[in-house]
């Protein structure tokens, strides 16, 4: 059974160009600012990389299992002093037990 890696890139302001997302060294998508993509992945372990041009900016691992995962760009602040400071975050989606969705 497959699962999904939800990929999104949202950075404050207008950015030119795109970010390349790779799973197991294969390009799965190229996103511009404020775009997202759902990549279908297997239940085995996967290596995830993010590149800006040829420059690697993130490396992570999706562990084996059945849960979906999220890879997103998160900025640490909204004011002018720390605007533009952010990082890619990779995390596993945990099910909501006892809640109706």
């Amino acid at each position: 059974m497959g699962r999904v890696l939800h990929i999104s890139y949202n950075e404050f302001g207008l950015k030119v160009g795109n970010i390349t997302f790779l799973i197991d060294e294969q390009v799965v998508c190229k996103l511009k600012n404020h775009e997202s993509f759902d990549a279908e992945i297997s239940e085995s372990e996967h290596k995830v990389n993010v590149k800006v041009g040829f420059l690697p900016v993130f490396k992570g691992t999706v562990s084996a299992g059945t849960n979906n995962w999220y890879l997103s760009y998160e900025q640490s602040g909204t004011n002018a002093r720390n605007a533009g400071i952010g990082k890619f975050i990779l995390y596993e989606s945990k099910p909501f037990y006892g809640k109706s969705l």
Side-chain angles (χ1 to χ4, degrees):
M1 181 172 199
R3 55 190 176 148
V4 175
L5 173 60
H6 303 283
I7 303 169
S8 64
Y9 175 60
N10 291 295
E11 190 171 353
F12 298 131
L14 182 63
K15 303 295 177 192
V16 179
N18 55 42
I19 308 291
T20 304
F21 296 86
L22 301 95
I23 298 176
D24 298 329
E25 301 302 322
Q26 300 294 316
V27 174
V28 293
C29 66
K30 292 184 178 190
L31 299 181
K32 292 184 179 181
N33 198 17
H34 306 300
E35 290 184 335
S36 63
F37 182 80
D38 287 341
E40 189 173 331
I41 57 175
S42 69
E43 293 181 358
S44 60
E45 182 177 280
H46 297 281
K47 299 292 181 197
V48 178
N49 297 315
V50 180
K51 293 184 179 181
V52 176
F54 295 106
L55 188 74
V57 294
F58 175 82
K59 288 185 179 185
T61 302
V62 170
S63 59
T66 58
N67 287 344
N68 293 333
W69 283 69
Y70 291 86
L71 173 59
S72 63
Y73 184 83
E74 295 184 10
Q75 289 189 291
S76 58
T78 58
N79 60 30
R81 183 175 182 181
N82 58 5
I85 299 173
K87 61 183 175 179
F88 286 95
I89 305 289
L90 178 67
Y91 58 96
E92 187 174 7
S93 171
K94 301 292 183 185
F96 293 99
Y97 294 106
K99 284 189 172 185
S100 60
L101 300 176

